[in-house]
Amino acid sequence: MLTIKRIKKTNIFIIIVLISLPFIIHSCFNLTSIKVIADENREKLEEIENRWNETGEIKNIINNKVYIIGDSRMEYLSNRGKEIEIPTNFSFIALGGTKIDWFTYKAIPLLEEKLDSKQENIKYHVIINMGVNDLNDYNDPLIHSENYFKLYYELASHYEDIDFYILSVNPVDMSIINKKIYNQKRTNIKIQKFNENLIKSIENSNLKNIKYCDSYNNVYFKTKDGLHYDKQTDQNIINYLTKDCLKYE
């Protein structure tokens, strides 16, 4: 009888083990998965920390916010998605075909709304790239330049704790644009006059928080329609902004 009881107990134990085995295996797999995920997260954190310590890149992005205002050139650039690398702390206020009226009555109010609700402990920067569409008329480019600078001056004077960067109006390809765009009046001579007058206005203003960024003479440009740039040129512009234009704290 004792032997029979012992056999029954053994069989019951085996049955319990067999029933429990899938759950034990599943639990072990979950523990292994959790450990793998934890290890991966630890590696990512270590990578970020190392980059931070070596270059300060992560810290700069976290502590600095950049708003970029522009026309179709900046709108196209901002819509490239994964085609080019755009810093995550960049935000765009840009619309194709726009001129000084849009900048005055749409872009500036949007920008002011963002700047008036800015976060503490973050340094704000504003890059402005307007003017190429205004130059598509018969007016003197100096008039356009002066009208824009009046608005730049008002912004920089009002927001003294924010750095403003005026990005040069960049060139057109005259051999292409006249064939692609109807009633075309923009020329690189007009663009250069516009830029040169902006430089003088900024230098004479004595404002400490406004700077001219000369991508016109420091970036290689290539276009398909004579006005808008290809992918590599847009990446060149972003690289110029991050390396040579913006000054993070």
Side-chain angles (χ1 to χ4, degrees), residues 46-199:
E46 288 175 355
E47 180 185 351
I48 290 173
E49 186 177 351
N50 290 336
R51 285 175 60 195
W52 188 324
N53 292 335
E54 290 175 4
T55 67
E57 178 183 354
I58 301 299
K59 182 178 179 181
N60 285 341
I61 289 177
I62 292 173
N63 294 341
N64 291 270
K65 177 68 178 176
V66 181
Y67 290 109
I68 301 179
I69 302 177
D71 45 46
S72 60
R73 285 175 165 179
M74 283 301 165
E75 183 186 29
Y76 288 5
L77 187 155
S78 68
N79 289 334
R80 285 200 177 275
K82 296 181 180 180
E83 289 183 323
I84 64 175
E85 294 183 3
I86 301 175
T88 56
N89 62 333
F90 279 25
S91 291
F92 293 82
I93 301 173
L95 184 65
T98 50
K99 300 181 180 181
I100 195 167
D101 285 346
W102 174 83
F103 179 72
T104 304
Y105 300 111
K106 295 292 184 180
I108 289 179
L110 280 173
L111 176 65
E112 289 176 332
E113 182 180 336
K114 296 178 182 300
L115 297 182
D116 289 340
S117 59
K118 61 183 181 295
Q119 301 176 39
E120 295 182 2
N121 303 321
I122 294 180
K123 177 65 177 177
Y124 286 77
H125 311 259
V126 177
I127 298 172
I128 302 173
N129 184 222
M130 295 291 302
V132 72
N133 292 320
D134 301 84
L135 296 175
N136 194 27
D137 60 26
Y138 294 104
N139 291 331
D140 188 333
L142 301 184
I143 294 174
H144 291 304
S145 178
E146 290 168 3
N147 289 337
Y148 268 108
F149 182 74
K150 289 176 184 177
L151 297 170
Y152 300 159
Y153 186 90
E154 290 177 5
L155 279 168
S157 298
H158 183 69
Y159 296 101
E160 294 181 352
D161 59 332
I162 293 171
D163 289 338
F164 289 84
Y165 306 83
I166 311 305
L167 184 63
S168 58
V169 173
N170 292 317
V172 295
D173 189 328
M174 300 302 300
S175 64
I176 300 176
I177 194 170
N178 291 328
K179 299 177 183 178
K180 295 284 186 178
I181 300 179
Y182 175 73
N183 201 25
Q184 162 61 32
K185 302 179 186 68
R186 281 163 288 212
T187 66
N188 285 329
I189 292 176
K190 291 173 72 173
I191 290 173
Q192 290 168 4
K193 288 182 178 179
F194 179 95
N195 289 336
E196 289 168 1
N197 197 58
L198 264 183
I199 295 171

